[in-house]
Amino acid sequence: MEGSSHTRRRLLAGLSAVGVAALGGCVTTGLSLSADGVDESEVFDSLSLSESWTANKAVVKVTLTDTATTQQNVRKVAIIDAKGSSVWSDTVDPGQTSVSGARFPVGQTATLAASDHNDAFVDSVSVTLSGSSIP
């Protein structure tokens, strides 16, 4: 029994060491979010950080206006990075007023865009997340 316990501790210690090494230099703290265009948007009401400890992406809750999915017919929201690549997207249902789990890249400006059921552009805002990396 003692050998089994010793082996389990070595395994847990090894996994912890691998986890620390994998995250080394990649953990971002002190995240701040700024969004340009939200005040004028007919689709996006607000954005708020959900998790601030992620590595190179931050989780954000996106709150939609009351009319985003009804009058504006928004059916999809997507995040496009500075290079023009889609890095996250989700569908929204009629009447839905928030989207949790949007993953924004840290350290760069990205575009949060909305499209309708025909994938036609509806609205977008510019979002910047910044923070400090822990070495």
Side-chain angles (χ1 to χ4, degrees):
M1 187 76 127
E2 188 174 324
S4 172
S5 177
H6 180 68
T7 302
R8 188 176 311 136
R9 279 185 274 188
R10 288 183 74 192
L11 175 64
L12 290 174
L15 289 174
S16 296
V18 169
V20 169
L23 291 175
C26 295
V27 176
T28 304
T29 61
L31 287 175
S32 64
L33 175 128
S34 66
D36 295 328
V38 172
D39 292 339
E40 299 84 24
S41 177
E42 293 183 13
V43 172
F44 302 107
D45 187 48
S46 65
L47 288 87
S48 58
L49 286 167
S50 296
E51 296 178 23
S52 60
W53 54 268
T54 58
N56 58 355
K57 294 195 179 190
V59 179
V60 173
K61 178 180 179 183
V62 177
T63 304
L64 305 171
T65 62
D66 292 336
T67 61
T69 61
T70 55
Q71 294 176 10
Q72 303 297 323
N73 294 316
V74 170
R75 293 298 177 266
K76 183 177 181 181
V77 291
I79 299 169
I80 296 107
D81 68 12
K83 295 177 183 176
S85 298
S86 177
V87 294
W88 178 90
S89 67
D90 200 1
T91 58
V92 292
D93 296 320
Q96 186 173 340
T97 58
S98 68
V99 178
S100 298
R103 300 193 184 287
F104 282 86
V106 175
Q108 63 176 281
T109 299
T111 301
L112 174 62
S115 59
D116 66 14
H117 58 281
N118 291 321
D119 285 334
F121 173 82
V122 176
D123 197 7
S124 69
V125 295
S126 178
V127 179
T128 303
L129 282 156
S130 56
S132 301
S133 292
I134 296 176

